[in-house]
Amino acid sequence: MSGAADIAGAPPATRPAVGTAVAAGVGRPAWSNLLFVLPYLVVLIVLLIVPLGLGIWLSFQDYDMLGGWNGSVGLDNFRNLLTDKIFLGTIRNTVWFVVMTTPAFVVIGLALALALNDTTRKSAFLRSVFFGASVLSVTIVTLIWRLVYLPDRGLLSDVFGLVGLHPIDPVVSTTWALPAIALVTVWWIIGLPMTLFLAALQQIPAEIYEAAALDRAGRWRTLVFVTLPSIRRTIVVVAVLEVILQFQLFGQALLITGGGPNNMSRPMVQFIYESGFRDLQLGFASAASQILFALMLLATFAQMWVGRRRDSA
Amino acid sequence: MSGLGLKNVTKRFGQNEVVRDLTLDVASGEFVVFLGPSGCGKSTLLRMIAGLEAVTTGEIRLGPRRIDDLAPGDRGVAMVFQHYALYPHMTVRQNMAFGLRNIGLPRDEIARKIASAAQMLEIDALLDRKPAQLSGGQRQRVAIGRAIVKDPQIFLFDEPLSNLDAALRSRTRIELARLHQRMNATMVFVTHDQVEAMTMATRIVVMNQGRIEQVGAPIDIYRRPATRFVASFIGTPAMNFLAATPTGETGGCVTVRLPDGTTVPTAIPATKLPRSGPFTLGVRAEHIEPGRGTPARVDVVERLGERTLIYALAGDGSTIVYDEPGEFAPPIGERVDLAIDPAHVHLFDADGRAYHAEARA
Amino acid sequence: MSTFRPGRSFGDRAILLAVVALAIVWIAPIVWVVGLSFKPNDVLMHDTGGIVSPPFTLKNYADILASSSVFGWMFNSAVVAVGQTALTLILASLAGYGFARTNFPGRAVLFVAVLAALAVPEQAIIVPLHTMFAAVDLHNTYLALIAPRLAFPFGVLLMTQYFRAISPEIEEAALLDSASRLKVFWRIVLPLSIPAQATLGIYTFLHAWNDYFWPLVSATKPEMYTLTVGLASMQTNFAQTEGIGFLMAQAVFAGLPILVLYLFFQRHIVSAVAGAPSK
């Protein structure tokens, strides 16, 4: 992002701080300047803020596409949700899924970044292999993996057969359904954490490694005491990002296992989808959405708080 | 060309008053330099004249017109920025034409103006290049060219020489002076470098903390600084300041005593001086020489070629600098007595106001 | 870039070997699917083992080409992706410039509001959004498919950050050159922001092309299906299906456009997709 600024020559002009969180603009204030942000603001209000408010309102209503609007029901929707076995199951599934995938993303992503952090053609090729899957859409990925998971004829059962083990069909297994989806997800999006870690690793100045070598630090000690501390912030960022993303698990579950067997792999978003768009219970679905939103915010803040505590430690 | 009038101009950023109640008149055709340290408000003042900052209170006039409520492009003002601010994606020609096209001048007139400015600045060969392909000095000339073609009432320069290396700086100083003579233009130049100010200005406006300390021709400011700040800011090496106590008068002029007991006569009429101190004596290096006077010990010697600066420690530990022509320098540690020329002694009172020797008839 | 290596050692080679092995595992599903897409369906009914041995066939692909709906889906996806990208670039650039470089009453407050909107996930508003569009009978239109994602603040924040980094002196010079605010934006600042536009454009295009949830609930008529929805709709009755080869060919076919783009623009895509969230 420095091309234009380089040629212009200057760092942004130093001017006395205006005292707001946002840096001062150029030129005098004018109402006409509002026109620049107005188009986007209109879109933001109509397509994000209004639905947000509407969703919150809906979650307190008994609103059914079939039965119509039957007035406010206060916290009934929430109460029903929190006693609904299936919904509680989806919360458990989603949280369990996040717990399964986030460490995998961080560890594997970091390992790949560490291993492929150089300028050789080999590494460039390998990086593009790992990243390539993430440009595919969820439906293509699920199609591929449904074929892989086909009982008797899929790649997985072929491989199991080769090794001499009895093949399992994860799609109909209550224990393996969710992990199977986790595997697909990690396969799909490992490119993102890998690239984020690569960027962070490249920010570490070479001199630190040279100093470590002069201090006769071996590979492992360098990793633990030099590299990892330098990218601690990025680790937190990646973890937070993955938590946010994986809480939104939907397509893979819907298309590979359908949420089964026995609701053991149904995530929260699928529940919202089904109650909102299949059962057409809008109030109920909105309440579920709010709970998902709240859980995500909670998880994000908790992580950031933990990350910050470690930073100052 | 028009004259510039600033009347009670004040600029506040939040609680911070950056320019305080400033009044100044610049005559048409003058080359005025706003000189001062960082943060004194000179750049802010320039930007207010240009219209890039709003005036909090006060008026700015260009000729008969009041301009402080006009848009930057409508003021008849052209500015050369510190980092040139050329449009990177346009050629030199397009850079120079941009402003003229925006006000709707016909094509042939634009071409004519560009050609004449390019010739004056010797950049005709560069017209079809982009800024990235030019050297620093060339970019600066393009920036000046962009200002010239607009035929402005006044030129503003925001520290344009600070980006250049020393050799280029002195060459450009001369070119700017020549430009000023050729175009007979009103120019306002902002810098923190007093050498630039002294060599280029018809008048210098010395600023400090948002206020004008002194306005005057370079040599007047040099010889008769109005305040201690101006005295310390102008001149290389900086003026010597010594604590001084008046001890009576000789021939109507004050005599002062230095901390180590030496008395120094001055040419300042006793009646002019306020009653109470404390006072500071100021005298420049070129007005001190070895002779009867303050005892000191040579500490550091700087040889500049055509003269030598000698820093000596006085009895009370303060440093006095004086100069000798040529390469003569006393050995370090040697004791030397320093005579101060009374005719060039200044006195500064507790508020920093200066009192000078009266001119002899 | 820090590439300090303490010399090639056994550790280095072992790591490389492990990574290569992992890469083989990673690419295996794709290779397997591509390979089997060239085998006739009836063979695959019994045995999926022989990728490299004959018989081979192009019939699966011929069948796809014959079934015209795939092209219709791709067309819809293209319209949505291009439309969303173009509109996002316009809206985000305008708003980004407004926030970064101009002064107007309420600027700071509005900017904080946009920042806060970043925290809202798609799923929190999808139900009411759907209700709103249903109320004005706008489902199954391109407008409905393109519009909602335009509100996501990410583009505005990216452009704001980029515009802030451009030296203000250039814009001041343009103002002194009698350029109106709009002209400064259009002729000076916008041309200088091409790298950011490319990043945002690629990012938006990719997400628009791959979007699933919203098109699933909004484009319910088959002629409006996007590629993602259409592909999912064909996968009914997977266990009993006879056309495994056909399904595999579908997957390859659907993935081809984006993989081709990836091959050509890999560097840009990687920096767009990965550089974006970190900001």
Side-chain angles (χ1 to χ4, degrees):
Chain A
M1 268 195 198
S2 60
D6 276 350
I7 292 176
T14 48
R15 220 169 286 147
V18 185
T20 56
V22 176
V26 160
R28 288 102 61 83
W31 282 99
S32 59
N33 288 331
L34 199 57
L35 290 177
F36 278 107
V37 301
L38 208 58
Y40 172 72
L41 284 181
V42 167
V43 170
L44 180 71
I45 292 176
V46 171
L47 293 171
L48 200 145
I49 308 229
V50 165
L52 190 61
L54 184 59
I56 295 178
W57 178 79
L58 268 177
S59 55
F60 295 110
Q61 311 300 320
D62 176 2
Y63 199 119
D64 206 307
M65 284 299 258
L66 304 168
W69 180 29
N70 291 331
S72 166
V73 289
L75 291 171
D76 275 3
N77 283 330
F78 292 97
R79 221 167 297 161
N80 292 336
L81 275 173
L82 293 173
T83 51
D84 182 326
K85 274 219 170 60
I86 297 186
F87 183 69
L88 290 174
T90 65
I91 297 185
R92 185 201 60 226
N93 293 338
T94 310
V95 172
W96 176 221
F97 184 76
V98 170
V99 166
M100 265 196 293
T101 52
T102 302
F105 276 121
V106 171
V107 170
I108 300 180
L110 184 55
L112 286 176
L114 286 169
L116 297 176
N117 181 23
D118 55 49
T119 49
T120 65
R121 291 258 288 266
K122 221 176 320 186
S123 293
F125 174 73
L126 288 170
R127 285 198 300 266
S128 63
V129 166
F130 288 109
F131 192 90
S134 52
V135 303
L136 297 172
S137 72
V138 68
T139 47
I140 298 178
V141 169
T142 51
L143 180 51
I144 292 177
W145 280 85
R146 286 178 78 184
L147 292 166
V148 169
Y149 284 149
L150 264 184
D152 304 328
R153 286 178 289 169
L155 181 62
L156 191 67
S157 73
D158 283 352
V159 166
F160 267 75
L162 272 177
V163 187
L165 289 173
H166 182 71
I168 54 171
D169 183 4
V171 172
V172 298
S173 151
T174 51
T175 21
W176 294 109
L178 202 57
I181 298 178
L183 178 62
V184 174
T185 308
V186 173
W187 177 87
W188 186 23
I189 319 206
I190 194 65
L192 178 61
M194 178 183 78
T195 311
L196 288 174
F197 282 127
L198 272 169
L201 287 175
Q202 286 166 14
Q203 303 276 34
I204 304 178
E207 285 99 40
I208 288 193
Y209 288 116
E210 290 163 2
L214 284 169
D215 274 342
R216 310 193 62 190
R219 170 181 254 112
W220 180 251
R221 289 185 84 85
T222 310
L223 174 67
V224 172
F225 292 107
V226 177
T227 314
L228 287 184
S230 305
I231 57 170
R232 189 165 38 194
R233 261 200 83 214
T234 308
I235 296 182
V236 173
V237 166
V238 170
V240 168
L241 199 60
E242 289 301 338
V243 164
I244 293 176
L245 286 176
Q246 302 320 323
F247 254 102
Q248 300 173 27
L249 171 68
F250 174 56
Q252 305 95 289
L254 182 69
L255 295 170
I256 296 184
T257 61
N262 215 5
N263 299 315
M264 287 303 286
S265 65
R266 176 174 274 109
M268 291 175 75
V269 179
Q270 185 175 351
F271 185 90
I272 296 172
Y273 168 67
E274 285 165 350
S275 60
F277 298 102
R278 191 190 59 189
D279 305 337
L280 301 174
Q281 297 173 299
L282 300 182
F284 204 51
S286 293
S289 307
Q290 306 313 318
I291 296 183
L292 173 65
F293 190 11
L295 277 179
M296 282 172 65
L297 282 177
L298 206 65
T300 307
F301 281 129
Q303 276 190 294
M304 282 168 55
W305 184 70
V306 168
R308 205 159 289 169
R309 299 251 342 257
R310 284 239 213 92
D311 256 357
S312 52
Chain B
M1 277 299 141
S2 306
L4 178 72
L6 301 163
K7 198 164 146 197
N8 299 113
V9 171
T10 304
K11 176 64 180 173
R12 255 190 297 272
F13 286 111
Q15 301 289 42
N16 192 16
E17 220 176 32
V18 171
V19 173
R20 302 175 209 260
D21 199 34
L22 198 142
T23 301
L24 177 71
D25 277 301
V26 175
S28 162
E30 269 201 286
F31 193 118
V32 164
V33 174
F34 291 169
L35 174 69
S38 304
C40 69
K42 56 191 192 295
S43 281
T44 309
L45 193 57
L46 195 76
R47 292 167 60 84
M48 284 197 280
I49 300 172
L52 301 171
E53 299 280 359
V55 170
T56 311
T57 56
E59 272 184 25
I60 303 182
R61 284 178 183 277
L62 193 58
R65 268 196 330 159
R66 185 168 165 183
I67 60 169
D68 56 87
D69 46 8
L70 296 179
D74 297 337
R75 298 186 176 202
V77 157
M79 183 152 153
V80 177
F81 289 83
Q82 185 173 6
H83 301 279
Y84 321 132
L86 300 179
Y87 309 124
H89 57 296
M90 295 187 187
T91 62
V92 168
R93 192 191 305 271
Q94 290 165 335
N95 263 277
M96 292 172 70
F98 186 64
L100 301 177
R101 291 182 60 183
N102 287 339
I103 55 180
L105 284 190
R107 264 182 203 245
D108 48 349
E109 202 180 324
I110 296 181
R112 226 182 353 98
K113 289 189 187 245
I114 294 180
S116 109
Q119 199 190 35
M120 193 192 314
L121 295 166
E122 291 172 19
I123 51 174
D124 352 36
L126 308 173
L127 282 176
D128 290 307
R129 298 217 197 139
K130 291 214 176 145
Q133 301 164 297
L134 303 176
S135 73
Q138 289 171 328
R139 284 186 207 168
Q140 204 205 44
R141 274 184 279 156
V142 173
I144 297 176
R146 187 170 62 174
I148 290 181
V149 295
K150 295 203 282 202
D151 253 335
Q153 308 276 7
I154 183 171
F155 284 90
L156 306 176
F157 295 89
D158 188 5
E159 306 211 40
L161 303 185
S162 22
N163 268 2
L164 307 175
D165 62 54
L168 202 50
R169 208 180 289 184
S170 18
R171 274 218 313 272
T172 314
R173 257 186 8 226
I174 300 175
E175 277 184 29
L176 280 178
R178 237 180 246 147
L179 194 70
H180 175 233
Q181 283 165 16
R182 258 182 88 160
M183 302 187 60
N184 207 15
T186 314
M187 292 187 174
V188 175
F189 190 100
V190 160
T191 181
H192 59 272
D193 182 333
Q194 44 117 8
V195 174
E196 282 171 27
M198 295 285 287
T199 54
M200 300 174 74
T202 41
R203 273 199 304 162
I204 301 181
V205 176
V206 182
M207 287 180 68
N208 187 28
Q209 292 185 345
R211 281 189 233 276
I212 296 181
E213 295 259 338
Q214 187 172 2
V215 179
I219 202 63
D220 291 333
I221 293 191
Y222 186 84
R223 288 216 195 106
R224 302 170 75 84
T227 66
R228 179 174 165 157
F229 172 79
V230 176
S232 67
F233 201 76
I234 303 270
T236 313
M239 185 184 279
N240 290 294
F241 292 108
L242 305 164
T245 324
T247 54
E249 45 181 287
T250 319
C253 292
V254 179
T255 312
V256 295
R257 191 183 63 227
L258 298 180
D260 67 350
T262 343
T263 24
V264 178
T266 74
I268 302 171
T271 45
K272 293 268 163 138
L273 217 59
R275 295 210 145 267
S276 52
F279 293 95
T280 310
L281 180 146
V283 60
R284 293 199 187 275
E286 64 258 32
H287 299 131
I288 303 178
E289 53 179 25
R292 282 196 56 201
T294 315
R297 206 165 285 278
V298 175
D299 186 33
V300 174
V301 170
E302 282 179 351
R303 293 165 195 266
L304 299 179
E306 92 279 7
R307 60 177 176 152
T308 306
L309 297 178
I310 300 150
Y311 295 80
L313 289 173
D316 63 336
S318 56
T319 306
I320 303 180
V321 53
Y322 71 98
D323 73 356
E324 292 274 24
E327 297 170 23
F328 169 76
I332 308 236
E334 174 164 300
R335 204 197 111 118
V336 58
D337 288 330
L338 300 175
I340 299 175
D341 183 352
H344 291 101
V345 164
H346 309 277
L347 279 179
F348 302 96
D349 65 17
D351 301 321
R353 279 188 60 199
Y355 303 90
H356 314 288
E358 292 293 295
R360 305 276 170 151
Chain C
M1 175 161 157
S2 97
T3 58
F4 178 77
R5 284 241 183 278
R8 282 188 81 64
S9 61
F10 171 72
D12 272 343
R13 274 181 241 256
I15 289 179
L16 190 60
L17 210 59
V19 173
V20 169
L22 197 63
I24 292 179
V25 169
W26 228 262
I27 212 173
I30 296 185
V31 169
W32 183 73
V33 167
V34 172
L36 290 185
S37 68
F38 288 109
K39 307 212 70 171
N41 283 324
D42 41 1
V43 172
L44 293 176
M45 278 287 284
H46 308 292
D47 167 34
T48 56
I51 297 189
V52 282
S53 57
F56 295 120
T57 175
L58 287 176
K59 178 174 183 301
N60 295 319
Y61 289 98
D63 286 345
I64 291 184
L65 293 174
S67 119
S68 54
S69 34
V70 189
F71 293 99
W73 300 335
M74 280 199 191
F75 178 75
N76 290 337
S77 283
V79 169
V80 171
V82 168
Q84 213 173 81
T85 304
L87 286 174
T88 299
L89 286 178
I90 294 174
L91 287 174
S93 297
L94 281 170
Y97 181 68
F99 279 122
R101 279 289 180 253
T102 65
N103 261 317
F104 52 86
R107 187 174 65 117
V109 170
L110 287 171
F111 188 71
V112 170
V114 173
L115 265 178
L118 205 54
V120 178
E122 178 187 31
Q123 296 81 5
I125 53 174
I126 198 165
V127 169
L129 207 57
H130 184 267
T131 315
M132 286 165 59
F133 273 87
V136 290
D137 198 22
L138 268 182
H139 280 301
N140 286 307
T141 62
Y142 286 125
L143 176 65
L145 288 173
I146 293 178
R149 291 193 62 115
L150 297 176
F152 284 11
F154 170 71
V156 174
L157 295 171
L158 186 72
M159 296 309 291
T160 304
Q161 203 179 9
Y162 191 79
F163 285 133
R164 280 217 195 118
I166 298 181
S167 157
E169 280 191 352
I170 295 188
E171 297 173 56
E172 292 174 347
L175 283 177
L176 279 162
D177 269 342
S178 312
S180 67
R181 215 57 222 240
L182 194 59
K183 198 171 265 194
V184 174
F185 172 69
W186 181 251
R187 298 229 30 223
I188 307 288
V189 173
L190 206 55
L192 293 177
S193 69
I194 305 271
Q197 307 267 347
T199 299
L200 183 58
I202 291 174
Y203 182 84
T204 310
F205 186 88
L206 209 54
H207 280 260
W209 183 270
N210 288 343
D211 199 9
Y212 179 55
F213 199 173
W214 177 249
L216 179 66
V217 301
S218 177
T220 48
K221 294 204 189 114
E223 64 262 24
M224 283 306 293
Y225 280 176
T226 60
L227 189 56
T228 48
V229 177
L231 202 61
S233 76
M234 291 205 75
Q235 300 170 34
T236 50
N237 259 338
F238 215 76
Q240 277 99 41
T241 189
E242 298 187 356
I244 292 189
F246 184 56
L247 283 172
M248 303 214 180
Q250 269 179 42
V252 173
F253 202 75
L256 217 51
I258 210 72
L259 281 176
V260 166
L261 279 177
Y262 178 62
L263 271 174
F264 280 112
F265 296 110
Q266 183 183 334
R267 197 157 294 174
H268 296 107
I269 293 182
V270 171
S271 73
V273 169
S278 61
K279 290 193 199 296

